């Protein structure tokens, strides 16, 4: 049914209600003096503190000139919630701790000396309880902000797509639980009917050109390795050796990165970590930039194929919106209208969302990130702690817009050729309204946005990902 039809279910003017949200106590660390820049291993609510209140139907309507718009469809792409580290990092930090343990003499680092590795000794990278909470809260907020669009609808009008990895499936389940609670009450329970779709969410494992030229090609991230062995990282290593009072050749810069990652994981789990005490504010900035370099060249703008390979996801998003518009424009009576997809929910990975950002032209710095321009990039857009933390999310909202005759001039009202209905699009990234690249305003004609990305929507995945040992991509 159309957005206009849905609104008719609610008598009188659209009313806005303020709903208080309660969050677990451990999330109070967002207001404390806690480091929150751990690159892609940052807990979502640490870097994007949730609002104390959520306005019901906050995203449901918008006024664009003489057009009054109501939400008709939404498509959301989520990275999974906070997870445990993989086996390589778990084993590396145990080795580092073993190497420095007997050489720690200062009482200042007694906590570090007594530290025990509590991470799972497997490579499943399973979802933490915190990751479930991130997704639960995200599902609640989305449902409340678009309540009039979603409420009283058959769940068959929603799609939930997950990858083959447990962390995306559990993230989807937690999101779905919060989504239902916000729409139907806290006691509402149900199983998510999801589609497993690695084709749209793990395209990086199917694109041979990406696999050979980027993922399994160390030269593709040469800027990361150059920075890893550069003066900024070497300086941190010297400071850490001095703080700990250990031999100058005991640690390598690779070890600093592992210690930084564990600092982030434990901050998410326990609100603090003794590994964090080894770094000062400037160190964290350098280590964050190191993380950004890796993602820039593996999951961002470093190589063209990274963005292009996301076309199956882009195609699915826009095809679903095309179908929604076709259904709304049909002349079938409301009771005979076969319901279209009101909500598309994708649960993927950093390797899903990063390439999608690049495909859409989001967070694109005019100057590429390199090992040499760390100081110049202090105000960079491509900052993974902010744009690609755990539970990072992107949402398109499609609006059906009808012209409000009361806002027309006499001459405009007399114009029989004017369009009375239009379809508009808005974009939210990590729950914040953003301009769609190429659009002048926050609300943009759907047809304009679709035209802008038509090459991605109509791409031949097999062709663009074909690899015959051709020369590697360049910046």
């Amino acid at each position: 049914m159309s957005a206009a039809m849905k609104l008719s279910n609610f008598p009188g003017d659209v009313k806005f209600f303020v709903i208080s949200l309660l969050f677990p106590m451990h999330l109070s660390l967002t207001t404390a003096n806690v480091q929150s820049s751990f690159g892609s291993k940052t807990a979502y609510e640490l870097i994007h503190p949730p609002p104390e209140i959520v306005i019901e139907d906050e995203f449901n309507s918008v006024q664009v000139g003489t057009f009054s718009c109501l939400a008709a469809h939404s498509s959301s792409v989520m990275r999974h919630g906070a997870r445990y580290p993989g086996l390589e990092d778990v084993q590396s930090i145990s080795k580092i701790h073993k190497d420095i343990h007997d050489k720690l003499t200062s009482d200042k680092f007694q906590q570090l000396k007594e530290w025990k590795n509590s991470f799972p000794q497997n490579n499943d990278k399973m979802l933490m309880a915190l990751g479930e909470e991130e997704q639960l809260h995200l599902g609640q907020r989305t449902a409340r902000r678009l309540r009039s669009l979603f409420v009283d609808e058959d769940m068959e009008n929603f799609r939930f797509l997950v990858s083959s990895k447990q962390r995306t499936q559990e993230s989807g389940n937690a999101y779905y639980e919060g989504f239902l609670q916000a729409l139907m009450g806290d006691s509402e329970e149900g199983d998510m009917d999801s589609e497993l779709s690695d084709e749209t969410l793990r395209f990086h494992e199917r694109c041979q050109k990406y696999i050979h030229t980027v993922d399994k090609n160390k030269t593709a991230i040469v800027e990361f390795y150059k920075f890893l062995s550069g003066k900024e990282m070497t300086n941190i290593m010297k400071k850490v050796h001095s703080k700990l009072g250990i031999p100058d050749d005991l640690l390598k810069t690779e070890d600093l990165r592992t210690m930084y990652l564990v600092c982030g994981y434990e901050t998410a789990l326990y609100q603090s970590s003794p590994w964090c005490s080894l770094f000062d504010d400037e160190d964290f900035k350098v280590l964050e930039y190191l993380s950004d370099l890796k993602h820039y060249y593996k999951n961002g703008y470093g190589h063209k194929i990274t963005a292009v390979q996301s076309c199956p996801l882009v195609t699915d998003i826009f095809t679903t919106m095309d179908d929604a518009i076709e259904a709304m424009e049909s002349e079938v009576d409301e009771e005979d209208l076969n319901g279209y997809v009101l909500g598309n929910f994708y649960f993927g990975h950093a390797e899903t969302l990063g390439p999608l950002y690049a495909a859409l032209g989001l967070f694109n710095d005019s100057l590429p990130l390199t090992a040499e321009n760390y100081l110049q990039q202090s105000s960079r857009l491509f900052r993974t702690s902010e744009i690609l933390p755990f539970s990072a999310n992107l949402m398109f909202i499609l609006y059906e817009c009808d012209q409000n005759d009361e806002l027309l001039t006499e001459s405009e009202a007399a114009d029989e050729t004017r369009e009375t209905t239009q379809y508009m699009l808005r974009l939210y990234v990590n729950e914040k309204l953003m301009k769609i690249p190429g659009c002048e305003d926050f609300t943009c004609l759907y047809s304009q946005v679709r035209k802008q990305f038509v090459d991605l929507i109509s791409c031949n995945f097999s062709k663009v990902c074909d690899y015959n040992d051709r020369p590697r991509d360049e910046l």
Side-chain angles (χ1 to χ4, degrees):
M1 70 182 70
S2 70
M5 290 176 180
K6 287 186 64 60
L7 185 65
S8 66
N9 294 330
F10 298 89
D13 296 334
V14 178
K15 296 180 176 63
F16 292 90
F17 299 90
V18 175
I19 300 179
S20 296
L21 294 180
L22 299 178
F23 298 99
M25 288 301 293
H26 77 268
L27 294 180
S28 64
L29 59 86
T30 58
T31 59
N33 185 24
V34 175
Q35 180 56 236
S36 60
S37 299
F38 301 110
S40 63
K41 305 304 184 286
T42 304
Y44 182 75
E45 293 182 4
L46 191 63
I47 196 71
H48 296 293
E52 294 183 3
I53 55 175
V54 171
I55 301 174
E56 187 166 300
D57 277 339
E58 181 182 4
F59 296 169
N60 194 63
S61 62
V62 63
Q63 188 70 35
V64 184
T66 60
F67 284 88
S68 298
C69 306
L70 289 173
H73 166 88
S74 75
S75 278
S76 300
V77 183
M78 273 77 63
R79 185 190 178 196
H80 59 76
R83 65 163 173 82
Y84 289 103
L87 183 60
E88 183 178 352
D89 288 331
V90 172
Q91 292 177 337
S92 293
I93 196 62
S94 289
K95 182 180 181 304
I96 292 168
H97 188 259
K98 181 180 178 181
D99 290 343
I100 68 174
H101 181 270
D102 292 338
K103 297 175 178 62
L104 292 174
T105 57
S106 172
D107 292 339
K108 182 179 179 182
F109 296 102
Q110 190 63 29
Q111 278 190 314
L112 185 59
K113 190 169 185 176
E114 296 174 356
W115 177 84
K116 303 294 182 183
N117 192 337
S118 61
F119 295 119
Q121 297 289 320
N122 58 51
N123 203 31
D124 293 337
K125 300 180 181 179
M126 296 180 71
L127 201 68
M128 296 180 186
L130 173 63
E132 292 184 12
E133 290 176 2
E134 290 173 346
Q135 294 287 328
L136 178 88
H137 298 157
L138 191 56
Q140 290 173 339
R141 293 194 296 271
T142 301
R144 284 165 175 159
R145 285 165 169 158
L146 288 170
R147 181 175 176 79
S148 290
L149 173 64
F150 296 143
V151 75
D152 296 331
E153 288 293 339
D154 194 310
M155 293 311 294
E156 292 181 0
N157 292 339
F158 301 91
R159 290 175 74 213
F160 294 87
L161 293 89
V162 299
S163 82
S164 54
K165 299 299 181 181
Q166 177 268 359
R167 54 191 177 275
T168 68
Q169 296 165 22
E170 292 303 314
S171 291
N173 287 332
Y175 184 100
Y176 182 76
E177 181 182 349
F179 189 79
L180 284 186
Q181 286 177 0
L183 291 178
M184 304 177 187
D186 289 342
S187 62
E188 188 64 32
E189 294 183 2
D191 295 326
M192 179 180 68
D193 185 12
S194 61
E195 303 174 34
L196 195 153
S197 183
D198 281 350
E199 290 78 8
T200 55
L201 298 170
R202 292 185 67 83
F203 40 76
H204 61 284
E205 292 184 335
R206 301 174 57 243
C207 185
Q208 292 302 312
K209 186 176 182 181
Y210 173 80
I211 291 170
H212 289 284
T213 64
V214 181
D215 191 40
K216 297 188 181 301
N217 174 22
K218 285 191 175 182
T219 64
I221 57 171
V222 66
E223 296 297 327
F224 165 81
Y225 289 112
K226 285 165 65 177
F227 193 76
L228 184 65
S229 60
K231 60 182 181 180
E232 291 88 357
M233 290 294 295
T234 302
N235 183 50
I236 296 177
M237 185 169 62
K238 290 178 180 178
K239 289 194 294 183
V240 170
H241 278 120
S242 177
K243 285 180 181 178
L244 293 175
I246 58 179
D248 291 344
D249 59 350
L250 189 60
L251 296 175
K252 300 177 181 179
T253 53
E254 293 93 330
D255 298 328
L256 299 179
R257 179 174 177 270
T258 302
M259 294 152 67
Y260 167 69
L261 293 178
V262 172
C263 162
Y265 283 119
E266 291 195 328
T267 296
L269 270 172
Y270 311 121
Q271 306 179 28
S272 65
S273 167
W275 295 101
C276 297
S277 63
L278 301 180
F279 307 119
D280 58 32
D281 288 345
E282 182 58 33
D283 296 340
F284 276 109
K285 291 177 183 178
V286 171
L287 290 161
E288 180 189 33
Y289 190 69
L290 179 71
S291 175
D292 292 350
L293 279 171
K294 185 174 183 179
H295 280 283
Y296 188 85
Y297 288 95
K298 289 203 76 170
N299 299 317
Y301 287 98
H303 304 277
K304 292 180 181 178
I305 187 58
T306 306
V308 174
Q309 67 169 337
S310 70
C311 67
L313 176 58
V314 177
T315 299
D316 196 76
I317 291 171
F318 278 88
T319 299
T320 306
M321 289 193 284
D322 289 343
D323 292 342
I325 291 173
E326 182 179 353
M328 286 185 283
E329 289 184 338
S330 70
E331 297 182 357
V332 179
D333 291 338
E334 178 183 356
E335 57 269 20
D336 297 325
L337 180 63
N338 186 19
Y340 63 87
V341 175
L342 293 169
N344 241 356
F345 305 95
Y346 306 85
F347 299 89
H349 307 263
E351 295 86 355
T352 309
L353 205 50
L356 180 60
Y357 286 157
L360 297 176
L362 297 167
F363 311 112
N364 189 8
D365 294 279
S366 57
L367 188 67
L369 277 64
T370 70
E372 286 75 31
N373 64 9
Y374 163 67
L375 292 177
Q376 293 171 267
Q377 296 288 7
S378 61
S379 300
R380 64 191 178 278
L381 301 174
F382 197 92
R383 192 181 295 272
T384 52
S385 297
E386 296 180 6
I387 70 174
L388 208 57
F390 291 126
S391 292
N393 55 89
L394 176 153
M395 177 167 64
F396 280 114
I397 302 179
L398 177 68
Y399 293 88
E400 183 184 24
C401 304
D402 293 323
Q403 200 153 54
N404 188 335
D405 292 342
E406 295 180 358
L407 301 177
L408 298 176
T409 64
E410 189 173 333
S411 60
E412 288 173 335
D415 183 3
E416 296 182 358
T417 64
R418 62 185 170 83
E419 291 188 62
T420 57
T421 300
Q422 291 185 342
Y423 298 96
M424 305 275 191
L425 204 59
R426 275 193 160 193
L427 173 66
Y428 292 84
V429 178
N430 295 323
E431 304 176 81
K432 297 176 179 64
L433 182 63
M434 290 195 66
K435 280 187 182 179
I436 301 171
C439 295
E440 294 183 0
D441 298 307
F442 287 111
T443 309
C444 203
L445 279 172
Y446 175 74
S447 58
Q448 176 186 337
V449 179
R450 196 189 191 287
K451 183 178 180 181
Q452 181 174 333
F453 300 115
V454 67
D455 289 344
L456 282 167
I457 298 169
S458 60
C459 92
N460 183 323
F461 184 79
S462 297
K463 185 176 181 179
V464 299
C465 285
D466 181 49
Y467 177 74
N468 290 312
D469 201 25
R470 287 191 284 266
R472 296 187 175 100
D473 286 348
E474 296 180 356
L475 283 177

